[in-house]
Amino acid sequence: MSRFRHYARRVSSWPMTALAKDYPRGCHIPKHRHRRGQLIYAASGVMQVTTREGIWIVPPQRSLWVPIGMSHEIHMEGQVAVRMLYLDRETSALLGTHCRVLAVSNLLRELILATVQAHGEKNAEHMEVMAPLLLHELQEADETAFHIPVPSDPRLKKVCQRLLDETSRVESLEQLAQHAGASSRTLARLFESELNMSFVRWRQHVRLARALSQMSLGHPIKIVARDAGYASSSAFCSMFHRIMGATPTDYLSQSAGSFGTRSGS
């Protein structure tokens, strides 16, 4: 058997393939789907991924699992170095049929970057060695609940879109109800039944999404807090720590110092 045929046979049996691509600020990848499950990872920068299950914010230290056939679109907040893994049907079953935000440990990050590099170099030996450990780490990765679910009820959609368009809005649910054609009590019930969270928590997630985007562009925390609708930096930092598990300063330090030269692999 020729070396080429031998290599092609080995590649076809790989449970995953990989892709590295850098995108400029504001780049939008229109709605599409894949025949393989996709792990989307931002080695640097922040992405916003929208699926029928919600709006998912993917900063460094996080990755998003998109199952087979799930339609999705991606918007780049700032410059983003995207590293993607595509898993075959059998392997994809290990990670489930719903979108999930997975925490990226130091080991998992290095495995993702090394796998992308090995695939680009057509290094079958490295791929075969790393694949089992990478899959194990993905299965064991902590799952984070941070995403913005989207509603189907037209009245709730109207309220949610109003807040998505301008995250600094400070109206109460009672005030927003005047534009939705529904009472505040009905809207509160819809938030819980359709989105599985309260109005206050949903708005916090929207504001945090906006904040992560601005922070990735280097905006000062004071400006980020103001644009997120918070009267003070301390109130914003408290919300940020409660959801992300770190202060904005610590989060930025971890993100900036975690990649080094490997982020361009």
Side-chain angles (χ1 to χ4, degrees):
M1 182 184 295
S2 69
R3 289 185 62 188
F4 174 80
R5 289 180 61 193
H6 178 68
Y7 169 73
R9 182 177 179 181
R10 296 180 72 178
V11 169
S12 66
S13 66
W14 286 353
M16 69 181 72
T17 57
L19 177 67
K21 194 166 184 179
D22 297 342
Y23 293 92
R25 175 182 180 181
C27 181
H28 177 253
I29 301 176
K31 190 174 293 185
H32 63 288
R33 65 185 68 198
H34 299 286
R35 289 180 293 178
R36 286 186 168 220
Q38 183 183 25
L39 184 79
I40 307 174
Y41 172 59
S44 63
V46 176
M47 296 177 288
Q48 177 179 296
V49 184
T50 302
T51 78
R52 67 171 182 268
E53 295 184 339
I55 300 171
W56 308 82
I57 306 303
V58 189
Q61 312 285 326
R62 300 290 186 271
S63 61
L64 177 67
W65 169 247
V66 180
I68 292 174
M70 176 73 72
S71 180
H72 60 286
E73 57 185 302
I74 308 174
H75 180 77
M76 309 300 168
E77 304 286 351
Q79 295 183 341
V80 185
V82 182
R83 305 296 180 255
M84 290 173 280
L85 302 179
Y86 299 91
L87 279 58
D88 65 16
R89 184 169 298 276
E90 181 179 354
T91 310
S92 291
L94 300 174
L95 296 180
T97 58
H98 294 282
C99 292
R100 302 165 60 199
V101 175
L102 304 176
V104 178
S105 65
N106 290 336
L107 175 57
L108 181 54
R109 182 190 69 247
E110 293 302 318
L111 285 168
I112 292 172
L113 297 179
T115 298
V116 170
Q117 181 174 334
H119 187 269
E121 295 173 350
K122 298 179 173 57
N123 191 325
E125 288 77 13
H126 283 184
M127 287 285 291
E128 290 177 353
V129 168
M130 290 185 293
L133 180 56
L134 174 56
L135 293 174
H136 172 78
E137 289 298 305
L138 286 173
Q139 287 183 271
E140 296 297 316
D142 292 332
E143 184 173 354
T144 60
F146 178 64
H147 82 291
I148 304 168
V150 292
S152 58
D153 185 279
R155 298 164 296 178
L156 191 57
K157 271 187 175 181
K158 189 176 295 185
V159 170
C160 290
Q161 193 59 54
R162 192 176 180 89
L163 295 173
L164 285 167
D165 290 341
E166 191 175 341
T167 56
S168 60
R169 286 185 174 276
V170 295
E171 293 103 323
S172 66
L173 189 57
E174 288 74 16
Q175 292 171 312
L176 290 168
Q178 298 175 13
H179 304 278
S183 68
S184 59
R185 180 175 297 181
T186 296
L187 291 176
R189 186 172 64 251
L190 287 170
F191 268 104
E192 293 289 352
S193 62
E194 285 207 17
L195 307 182
N196 294 316
M197 60 176 65
S198 68
F199 162 69
V200 171
R201 186 181 175 202
W202 188 88
R203 182 160 63 180
Q204 283 180 337
H205 279 220
V206 170
R207 288 173 167 177
L208 181 55
R210 168 72 171 171
L212 285 170
S213 298
Q214 289 186 304
M215 286 165 56
S216 73
L217 299 175
H219 293 189
I221 296 300
K222 182 177 180 179
I223 302 300
V224 173
R226 183 200 64 194
D227 289 350
Y230 286 84
S232 67
S233 297
S234 60
F236 167 76
C237 290
S238 176
M239 178 277 296
F240 190 98
H241 187 276
R242 185 167 59 254
I243 297 178
M244 299 299 291
T247 66
T249 300
D250 288 343
Y251 177 84
L252 287 173
S253 297
Q254 293 167 8
S255 297
S258 296
F259 305 102
T261 57
R262 290 297 302 279
S263 64
S265 299

PDB file of all heavy atoms in Angstrom, residues 6-36:
ATOM      1  N   HIS A   6      -2.212   4.702   2.583  1.00  0.00           N
ATOM      2  CA  HIS A   6      -2.159   4.355   3.989  1.00  0.00           C
ATOM      3  C   HIS A   6      -2.602   5.541   4.851  1.00  0.00           C
ATOM      4  O   HIS A   6      -3.396   5.382   5.788  1.00  0.00           O
ATOM      5  CB  HIS A   6      -0.737   3.945   4.371  1.00  0.00           C
ATOM      6  CG  HIS A   6      -0.585   3.610   5.819  1.00  0.00           C
ATOM      7  ND1 HIS A   6      -1.173   2.514   6.394  1.00  0.00           N
ATOM      8  CD2 HIS A   6       0.103   4.247   6.813  1.00  0.00           C
ATOM      9  CE1 HIS A   6      -0.857   2.460   7.681  1.00  0.00           C
ATOM     10  NE2 HIS A   6      -0.095   3.512   7.962  1.00  0.00           N
ATOM     11  N   TYR A   7      -2.127   6.731   4.497  1.00  0.00           N
ATOM     12  CA  TYR A   7      -2.502   7.936   5.254  1.00  0.00           C
ATOM     13  C   TYR A   7      -3.999   8.224   5.104  1.00  0.00           C
ATOM     14  O   TYR A   7      -4.694   8.501   6.077  1.00  0.00           O
ATOM     15  CB  TYR A   7      -1.690   9.141   4.778  1.00  0.00           C
ATOM     16  CG  TYR A   7      -2.209  10.450   5.321  1.00  0.00           C
ATOM     17  CD1 TYR A   7      -2.017  10.786   6.659  1.00  0.00           C
ATOM     18  CD2 TYR A   7      -2.917  11.322   4.505  1.00  0.00           C
ATOM     19  CE1 TYR A   7      -2.512  11.972   7.160  1.00  0.00           C
ATOM     20  CE2 TYR A   7      -3.418  12.508   5.007  1.00  0.00           C
ATOM     21  CZ  TYR A   7      -3.210  12.831   6.331  1.00  0.00           C
ATOM     22  OH  TYR A   7      -3.699  13.998   6.823  1.00  0.00           O
ATOM     23  N   ALA A   8      -4.516   8.145   3.868  1.00  0.00           N
ATOM     24  CA  ALA A   8      -5.920   8.441   3.620  1.00  0.00           C
ATOM     25  C   ALA A   8      -6.824   7.485   4.397  1.00  0.00           C
ATOM     26  O   ALA A   8      -7.861   7.878   4.935  1.00  0.00           O
ATOM     27  CB  ALA A   8      -6.221   8.340   2.121  1.00  0.00           C
ATOM     28  N   ARG A   9      -6.411   6.218   4.467  1.00  0.00           N
ATOM     29  CA  ARG A   9      -7.203   5.240   5.214  1.00  0.00           C
ATOM     30  C   ARG A   9      -7.236   5.589   6.694  1.00  0.00           C
ATOM     31  O   ARG A   9      -8.267   5.508   7.350  1.00  0.00           O
ATOM     32  CB  ARG A   9      -6.613   3.850   4.998  1.00  0.00           C
ATOM     33  CG  ARG A   9      -7.378   2.739   5.686  1.00  0.00           C
ATOM     34  CD  ARG A   9      -6.759   1.388   5.356  1.00  0.00           C
ATOM     35  NE  ARG A   9      -7.464   0.327   6.030  1.00  0.00           N
ATOM     36  CZ  ARG A   9      -7.122  -0.958   5.934  1.00  0.00           C
ATOM     37  NH1 ARG A   9      -6.082  -1.300   5.167  1.00  0.00           N
ATOM     38  NH2 ARG A   9      -7.801  -1.882   6.581  1.00  0.00           N
ATOM     39  N   ARG A  10      -6.082   6.040   7.237  1.00  0.00           N
ATOM     40  CA  ARG A  10      -6.021   6.390   8.654  1.00  0.00           C
ATOM     41  C   ARG A  10      -6.851   7.631   8.934  1.00  0.00           C
ATOM     42  O   ARG A  10      -7.542   7.718   9.939  1.00  0.00           O
ATOM     43  CB  ARG A  10      -4.565   6.596   9.067  1.00  0.00           C
ATOM     44  CG  ARG A  10      -3.727   5.345   8.948  1.00  0.00           C
ATOM     45  CD  ARG A  10      -2.301   5.590   9.369  1.00  0.00           C
ATOM     46  NE  ARG A  10      -2.198   5.755  10.800  1.00  0.00           N
ATOM     47  CZ  ARG A  10      -1.038   5.940  11.437  1.00  0.00           C
ATOM     48  NH1 ARG A  10       0.082   5.994  10.747  1.00  0.00           N
ATOM     49  NH2 ARG A  10      -1.006   6.076  12.735  1.00  0.00           N
ATOM     50  N   VAL A  11      -6.787   8.644   8.037  1.00  0.00           N
ATOM     51  CA  VAL A  11      -7.546   9.874   8.230  1.00  0.00           C
ATOM     52  C   VAL A  11      -9.046   9.591   8.236  1.00  0.00           C
ATOM     53  O   VAL A  11      -9.796  10.132   9.040  1.00  0.00           O
ATOM     54  CB  VAL A  11      -7.208  10.908   7.131  1.00  0.00           C
ATOM     55  CG1 VAL A  11      -8.187  12.071   7.162  1.00  0.00           C
ATOM     56  CG2 VAL A  11      -5.787  11.416   7.307  1.00  0.00           C
ATOM     57  N   SER A  12      -9.494   8.718   7.319  1.00  0.00           N
ATOM     58  CA  SER A  12     -10.924   8.431   7.244  1.00  0.00           C
ATOM     59  C   SER A  12     -11.441   7.752   8.498  1.00  0.00           C
ATOM     60  O   SER A  12     -12.633   7.781   8.782  1.00  0.00           O
ATOM     61  CB  SER A  12     -11.207   7.553   6.019  1.00  0.00           C
ATOM     62  OG  SER A  12     -10.606   6.269   6.179  1.00  0.00           O
ATOM     63  N   SER A  13     -10.553   7.137   9.255  1.00  0.00           N
ATOM     64  CA  SER A  13     -10.982   6.443  10.470  1.00  0.00           C
ATOM     65  C   SER A  13     -10.883   7.326  11.709  1.00  0.00           C
ATOM     66  O   SER A  13     -11.268   6.910  12.785  1.00  0.00           O
ATOM     67  CB  SER A  13     -10.126   5.182  10.676  1.00  0.00           C
ATOM     68  OG  SER A  13      -8.770   5.532  10.949  1.00  0.00           O
ATOM     69  N   TRP A  14     -10.347   8.546  11.578  1.00  0.00           N
ATOM     70  CA  TRP A  14     -10.244   9.439  12.731  1.00  0.00           C
ATOM     71  C   TRP A  14     -11.632   9.793  13.245  1.00  0.00           C
ATOM     72  O   TRP A  14     -12.541  10.081  12.472  1.00  0.00           O
ATOM     73  CB  TRP A  14      -9.528  10.731  12.350  1.00  0.00           C
ATOM     74  CG  TRP A  14      -8.044  10.573  12.163  1.00  0.00           C
ATOM     75  CD1 TRP A  14      -7.294   9.478  12.427  1.00  0.00           C
ATOM     76  CD2 TRP A  14      -7.145  11.571  11.662  1.00  0.00           C
ATOM     77  NE1 TRP A  14      -5.984   9.720  12.120  1.00  0.00           N
ATOM     78  CE2 TRP A  14      -5.858  10.985  11.651  1.00  0.00           C
ATOM     79  CE3 TRP A  14      -7.295  12.874  11.221  1.00  0.00           C
ATOM     80  CZ2 TRP A  14      -4.736  11.675  11.222  1.00  0.00           C
ATOM     81  CZ3 TRP A  14      -6.187  13.567  10.788  1.00  0.00           C
ATOM     82  CH2 TRP A  14      -4.920  12.976  10.792  1.00  0.00           C
ATOM     83  N   PRO A  15     -11.799   9.810  14.563  1.00  0.00           N
ATOM     84  CA  PRO A  15     -13.098  10.217  15.110  1.00  0.00           C
ATOM     85  C   PRO A  15     -13.312  11.724  15.042  1.00  0.00           C
ATOM     86  O   PRO A  15     -14.416  12.192  15.311  1.00  0.00           O
ATOM     87  CB  PRO A  15     -13.013   9.743  16.566  1.00  0.00           C
ATOM     88  CG  PRO A  15     -11.555   9.817  16.886  1.00  0.00           C
ATOM     89  CD  PRO A  15     -10.847   9.408  15.605  1.00  0.00           C
ATOM     90  N   MET A  16     -12.271  12.480  14.686  1.00  0.00           N
ATOM     91  CA  MET A  16     -12.431  13.931  14.630  1.00  0.00           C
ATOM     92  C   MET A  16     -11.510  14.544  13.589  1.00  0.00           C
ATOM     93  O   MET A  16     -10.488  13.973  13.206  1.00  0.00           O
ATOM     94  CB  MET A  16     -12.133  14.554  16.003  1.00  0.00           C
ATOM     95  CG  MET A  16     -10.665  14.483  16.432  1.00  0.00           C
ATOM     96  SD  MET A  16     -10.398  15.213  18.056  1.00  0.00           S
ATOM     97  CE  MET A  16     -11.166  13.948  19.095  1.00  0.00           C
ATOM     98  N   THR A  17     -11.925  15.720  13.116  1.00  0.00           N
ATOM     99  CA  THR A  17     -11.068  16.566  12.291  1.00  0.00           C
ATOM    100  C   THR A  17     -11.021  17.935  12.969  1.00  0.00           C
ATOM    101  O   THR A  17     -11.729  18.176  13.952  1.00  0.00           O
ATOM    102  CB  THR A  17     -11.614  16.700  10.851  1.00  0.00           C
ATOM    103  OG1 THR A  17     -12.948  17.229  10.906  1.00  0.00           O
ATOM    104  CG2 THR A  17     -11.628  15.357  10.153  1.00  0.00           C
ATOM    105  N   ALA A  18     -10.186  18.833  12.443  1.00  0.00           N
ATOM    106  CA  ALA A  18      -9.983  20.104  13.137  1.00  0.00           C
ATOM    107  C   ALA A  18      -9.760  21.233  12.143  1.00  0.00           C
ATOM    108  O   ALA A  18      -9.397  21.010  10.986  1.00  0.00           O
ATOM    109  CB  ALA A  18      -8.789  19.998  14.091  1.00  0.00           C
ATOM    110  N   LEU A  19      -9.981  22.456  12.624  1.00  0.00           N
ATOM    111  CA  LEU A  19      -9.800  23.631  11.781  1.00  0.00           C
ATOM    112  C   LEU A  19      -9.390  24.818  12.645  1.00  0.00           C
ATOM    113  O   LEU A  19      -9.913  25.003  13.743  1.00  0.00           O
ATOM    114  CB  LEU A  19     -11.109  23.970  11.054  1.00  0.00           C
ATOM    115  CG  LEU A  19     -11.108  25.237  10.184  1.00  0.00           C
ATOM    116  CD1 LEU A  19     -10.188  25.054   8.978  1.00  0.00           C
ATOM    117  CD2 LEU A  19     -12.530  25.559   9.723  1.00  0.00           C
ATOM    118  N   ALA A  20      -8.448  25.613  12.155  1.00  0.00           N
ATOM    119  CA  ALA A  20      -8.034  26.854  12.817  1.00  0.00           C
ATOM    120  C   ALA A  20      -8.270  28.007  11.856  1.00  0.00           C
ATOM    121  O   ALA A  20      -7.870  27.948  10.693  1.00  0.00           O
ATOM    122  CB  ALA A  20      -6.556  26.785  13.208  1.00  0.00           C
ATOM    123  N   LYS A  21      -8.935  29.048  12.353  1.00  0.00           N
ATOM    124  CA  LYS A  21      -9.176  30.210  11.505  1.00  0.00           C
ATOM    125  C   LYS A  21      -9.313  31.453  12.372  1.00  0.00           C
ATOM    126  O   LYS A  21      -9.952  31.420  13.424  1.00  0.00           O
ATOM    127  CB  LYS A  21     -10.440  30.016  10.668  1.00  0.00           C
ATOM    128  CG  LYS A  21     -10.574  31.024   9.539  1.00  0.00           C
ATOM    129  CD  LYS A  21     -11.631  30.606   8.540  1.00  0.00           C
ATOM    130  CE  LYS A  21     -11.686  31.578   7.362  1.00  0.00           C
ATOM    131  NZ  LYS A  21     -12.701  31.183   6.360  1.00  0.00           N
ATOM    132  N   ASP A  22      -8.713  32.546  11.923  1.00  0.00           N
ATOM    133  CA  ASP A  22      -8.798  33.821  12.627  1.00  0.00           C
ATOM    134  C   ASP A  22      -9.767  34.733  11.892  1.00  0.00           C
ATOM    135  O   ASP A  22      -9.749  34.817  10.658  1.00  0.00           O
ATOM    136  CB  ASP A  22      -7.422  34.486  12.712  1.00  0.00           C
ATOM    137  CG  ASP A  22      -6.429  33.659  13.522  1.00  0.00           C
ATOM    138  OD1 ASP A  22      -6.883  32.776  14.277  1.00  0.00           O
ATOM    139  OD2 ASP A  22      -5.221  33.893  13.396  1.00  0.00           O
ATOM    140  N   TYR A  23     -10.616  35.433  12.652  1.00  0.00           N
ATOM    141  CA  TYR A  23     -11.641  36.291  12.075  1.00  0.00           C
ATOM    142  C   TYR A  23     -11.487  37.724  12.568  1.00  0.00           C
ATOM    143  O   TYR A  23     -11.118  37.958  13.728  1.00  0.00           O
ATOM    144  CB  TYR A  23     -13.036  35.791  12.462  1.00  0.00           C
ATOM    145  CG  TYR A  23     -13.402  34.456  11.869  1.00  0.00           C
ATOM    146  CD1 TYR A  23     -13.143  33.270  12.569  1.00  0.00           C
ATOM    147  CD2 TYR A  23     -14.009  34.369  10.623  1.00  0.00           C
ATOM    148  CE1 TYR A  23     -13.486  32.034  12.038  1.00  0.00           C
ATOM    149  CE2 TYR A  23     -14.356  33.129  10.084  1.00  0.00           C
ATOM    150  CZ  TYR A  23     -14.095  31.974  10.793  1.00  0.00           C
ATOM    151  OH  TYR A  23     -14.426  30.750  10.264  1.00  0.00           O
ATOM    152  N   PRO A  24     -11.790  38.701  11.714  1.00  0.00           N
ATOM    153  CA  PRO A  24     -11.720  40.101  12.142  1.00  0.00           C
ATOM    154  C   PRO A  24     -12.929  40.495  12.975  1.00  0.00           C
ATOM    155  O   PRO A  24     -13.952  39.792  12.999  1.00  0.00           O
ATOM    156  CB  PRO A  24     -11.704  40.859  10.815  1.00  0.00           C
ATOM    157  CG  PRO A  24     -12.494  39.982   9.890  1.00  0.00           C
ATOM    158  CD  PRO A  24     -12.141  38.571  10.294  1.00  0.00           C
ATOM    159  N   ARG A  25     -12.812  41.617  13.632  1.00  0.00           N
ATOM    160  CA  ARG A  25     -13.902  42.148  14.454  1.00  0.00           C
ATOM    161  C   ARG A  25     -15.169  42.339  13.611  1.00  0.00           C
ATOM    162  O   ARG A  25     -15.119  42.820  12.483  1.00  0.00           O
ATOM    163  CB  ARG A  25     -13.484  43.488  15.052  1.00  0.00           C
ATOM    164  CG  ARG A  25     -14.578  44.188  15.831  1.00  0.00           C
ATOM    165  CD  ARG A  25     -14.096  45.527  16.346  1.00  0.00           C
ATOM    166  NE  ARG A  25     -15.136  46.199  17.095  1.00  0.00           N
ATOM    167  CZ  ARG A  25     -15.012  47.408  17.649  1.00  0.00           C
ATOM    168  NH1 ARG A  25     -13.868  48.062  17.525  1.00  0.00           N
ATOM    169  NH2 ARG A  25     -16.010  47.948  18.320  1.00  0.00           N
ATOM    170  N   GLY A  26     -16.281  41.908  14.186  1.00  0.00           N
ATOM    171  CA  GLY A  26     -17.562  42.107  13.535  1.00  0.00           C
ATOM    172  C   GLY A  26     -17.912  41.087  12.479  1.00  0.00           C
ATOM    173  O   GLY A  26     -19.018  41.139  11.915  1.00  0.00           O
ATOM    174  N   CYS A  27     -17.028  40.151  12.207  1.00  0.00           N
ATOM    175  CA  CYS A  27     -17.305  39.143  11.181  1.00  0.00           C
ATOM    176  C   CYS A  27     -18.517  38.300  11.595  1.00  0.00           C
ATOM    177  O   CYS A  27     -18.664  37.930  12.763  1.00  0.00           O
ATOM    178  CB  CYS A  27     -16.091  38.251  10.971  1.00  0.00           C
ATOM    179  SG  CYS A  27     -16.329  36.990   9.695  1.00  0.00           S
ATOM    180  N   HIS A  28     -19.362  38.011  10.629  1.00  0.00           N
ATOM    181  CA  HIS A  28     -20.568  37.228  10.899  1.00  0.00           C
ATOM    182  C   HIS A  28     -20.598  36.007   9.987  1.00  0.00           C
ATOM    183  O   HIS A  28     -20.481  36.130   8.766  1.00  0.00           O
ATOM    184  CB  HIS A  28     -21.815  38.079  10.671  1.00  0.00           C
ATOM    185  CG  HIS A  28     -23.094  37.317  10.868  1.00  0.00           C
ATOM    186  ND1 HIS A  28     -23.900  36.928   9.811  1.00  0.00           N
ATOM    187  CD2 HIS A  28     -23.701  36.861  11.989  1.00  0.00           C
ATOM    188  CE1 HIS A  28     -24.936  36.271  10.283  1.00  0.00           C
ATOM    189  NE2 HIS A  28     -24.847  36.216  11.590  1.00  0.00           N
ATOM    190  N   ILE A  29     -20.721  34.840  10.601  1.00  0.00           N
ATOM    191  CA  ILE A  29     -20.859  33.600   9.843  1.00  0.00           C
ATOM    192  C   ILE A  29     -22.346  33.257   9.813  1.00  0.00           C
ATOM    193  O   ILE A  29     -22.941  32.980  10.861  1.00  0.00           O
ATOM    194  CB  ILE A  29     -20.058  32.452  10.482  1.00  0.00           C
ATOM    195  CG1 ILE A  29     -18.572  32.821  10.557  1.00  0.00           C
ATOM    196  CG2 ILE A  29     -20.248  31.160   9.701  1.00  0.00           C
ATOM    197  CD1 ILE A  29     -17.723  31.793  11.266  1.00  0.00           C
ATOM    198  N   PRO A  30     -22.985  33.307   8.650  1.00  0.00           N
ATOM    199  CA  PRO A  30     -24.439  33.095   8.562  1.00  0.00           C
ATOM    200  C   PRO A  30     -24.859  31.707   9.058  1.00  0.00           C
ATOM    201  O   PRO A  30     -24.034  30.802   9.228  1.00  0.00           O
ATOM    202  CB  PRO A  30     -24.724  33.244   7.059  1.00  0.00           C
ATOM    203  CG  PRO A  30     -23.556  33.989   6.514  1.00  0.00           C
ATOM    204  CD  PRO A  30     -22.378  33.579   7.342  1.00  0.00           C
ATOM    205  N   LYS A  31     -26.136  31.565   9.236  1.00  0.00           N
ATOM    206  CA  LYS A  31     -26.711  30.332   9.758  1.00  0.00           C
ATOM    207  C   LYS A  31     -26.320  29.152   8.863  1.00  0.00           C
ATOM    208  O   LYS A  31     -26.433  29.207   7.643  1.00  0.00           O
ATOM    209  CB  LYS A  31     -28.231  30.465   9.822  1.00  0.00           C
ATOM    210  CG  LYS A  31     -28.923  29.343  10.578  1.00  0.00           C
ATOM    211  CD  LYS A  31     -30.416  29.633  10.711  1.00  0.00           C
ATOM    212  CE  LYS A  31     -30.662  30.825  11.616  1.00  0.00           C
ATOM    213  NZ  LYS A  31     -32.124  31.018  11.844  1.00  0.00           N
ATOM    214  N   HIS A  32     -25.858  28.077   9.508  1.00  0.00           N
ATOM    215  CA  HIS A  32     -25.447  26.879   8.786  1.00  0.00           C
ATOM    216  C   HIS A  32     -25.480  25.700   9.753  1.00  0.00           C
ATOM    217  O   HIS A  32     -25.727  25.869  10.941  1.00  0.00           O
ATOM    218  CB  HIS A  32     -24.024  27.049   8.222  1.00  0.00           C
ATOM    219  CG  HIS A  32     -22.976  27.235   9.276  1.00  0.00           C
ATOM    220  ND1 HIS A  32     -22.834  28.399  10.016  1.00  0.00           N
ATOM    221  CD2 HIS A  32     -22.016  26.391   9.735  1.00  0.00           C
ATOM    222  CE1 HIS A  32     -21.845  28.265  10.872  1.00  0.00           C
ATOM    223  NE2 HIS A  32     -21.337  27.056  10.720  1.00  0.00           N
ATOM    224  N   ARG A  33     -25.204  24.520   9.249  1.00  0.00           N
ATOM    225  CA  ARG A  33     -25.176  23.318  10.095  1.00  0.00           C
ATOM    226  C   ARG A  33     -24.115  22.355   9.567  1.00  0.00           C
ATOM    227  O   ARG A  33     -23.648  22.491   8.429  1.00  0.00           O
ATOM    228  CB  ARG A  33     -26.547  22.647  10.137  1.00  0.00           C
ATOM    229  CG  ARG A  33     -27.018  22.090   8.820  1.00  0.00           C
ATOM    230  CD  ARG A  33     -28.438  21.562   8.938  1.00  0.00           C
ATOM    231  NE  ARG A  33     -29.374  22.655   9.139  1.00  0.00           N
ATOM    232  CZ  ARG A  33     -30.597  22.503   9.611  1.00  0.00           C
ATOM    233  NH1 ARG A  33     -31.010  21.302   9.990  1.00  0.00           N
ATOM    234  NH2 ARG A  33     -31.401  23.524   9.744  1.00  0.00           N
ATOM    235  N   HIS A  34     -23.755  21.371  10.397  1.00  0.00           N
ATOM    236  CA  HIS A  34     -22.706  20.424  10.025  1.00  0.00           C
ATOM    237  C   HIS A  34     -23.202  18.987  10.164  1.00  0.00           C
ATOM    238  O   HIS A  34     -24.075  18.687  10.987  1.00  0.00           O
ATOM    239  CB  HIS A  34     -21.468  20.612  10.921  1.00  0.00           C
ATOM    240  CG  HIS A  34     -20.855  21.970  10.825  1.00  0.00           C
ATOM    241  ND1 HIS A  34     -20.120  22.389   9.738  1.00  0.00           N
ATOM    242  CD2 HIS A  34     -20.872  23.010  11.695  1.00  0.00           C
ATOM    243  CE1 HIS A  34     -19.701  23.623   9.941  1.00  0.00           C
ATOM    244  NE2 HIS A  34     -20.145  24.029  11.110  1.00  0.00           N
ATOM    245  N   ARG A  35     -22.602  18.098   9.380  1.00  0.00           N
ATOM    246  CA  ARG A  35     -22.924  16.680   9.480  1.00  0.00           C
ATOM    247  C   ARG A  35     -22.166  16.016  10.618  1.00  0.00           C
ATOM    248  O   ARG A  35     -22.403  14.847  10.925  1.00  0.00           O
ATOM    249  CB  ARG A  35     -22.601  15.977   8.165  1.00  0.00           C
ATOM    250  CG  ARG A  35     -23.548  16.336   7.030  1.00  0.00           C
ATOM    251  CD  ARG A  35     -23.184  15.618   5.748  1.00  0.00           C
ATOM    252  NE  ARG A  35     -21.898  16.080   5.231  1.00  0.00           N
ATOM    253  CZ  ARG A  35     -21.321  15.589   4.147  1.00  0.00           C
ATOM    254  NH1 ARG A  35     -21.894  14.600   3.473  1.00  0.00           N
ATOM    255  NH2 ARG A  35     -20.166  16.071   3.728  1.00  0.00           N
ATOM    256  N   ARG A  36     -21.236  16.755  11.221  1.00  0.00           N
ATOM    257  CA  ARG A  36     -20.516  16.276  12.401  1.00  0.00           C
ATOM    258  C   ARG A  36     -20.822  17.198  13.582  1.00  0.00           C
ATOM    259  O   ARG A  36     -21.207  18.345  13.392  1.00  0.00           O
ATOM    260  CB  ARG A  36     -19.000  16.271  12.151  1.00  0.00           C
ATOM    261  CG  ARG A  36     -18.526  15.158  11.233  1.00  0.00           C
ATOM    262  CD  ARG A  36     -17.016  15.128  11.150  1.00  0.00           C
ATOM    263  NE  ARG A  36     -16.535  13.911  10.497  1.00  0.00           N
ATOM    264  CZ  ARG A  36     -15.461  13.226  10.886  1.00  0.00           C
ATOM    265  NH1 ARG A  36     -14.748  13.641  11.922  1.00  0.00           N
ATOM    266  NH2 ARG A  36     -15.084  12.136  10.257  1.00  0.00           N
TER     267      ARG A  36
END
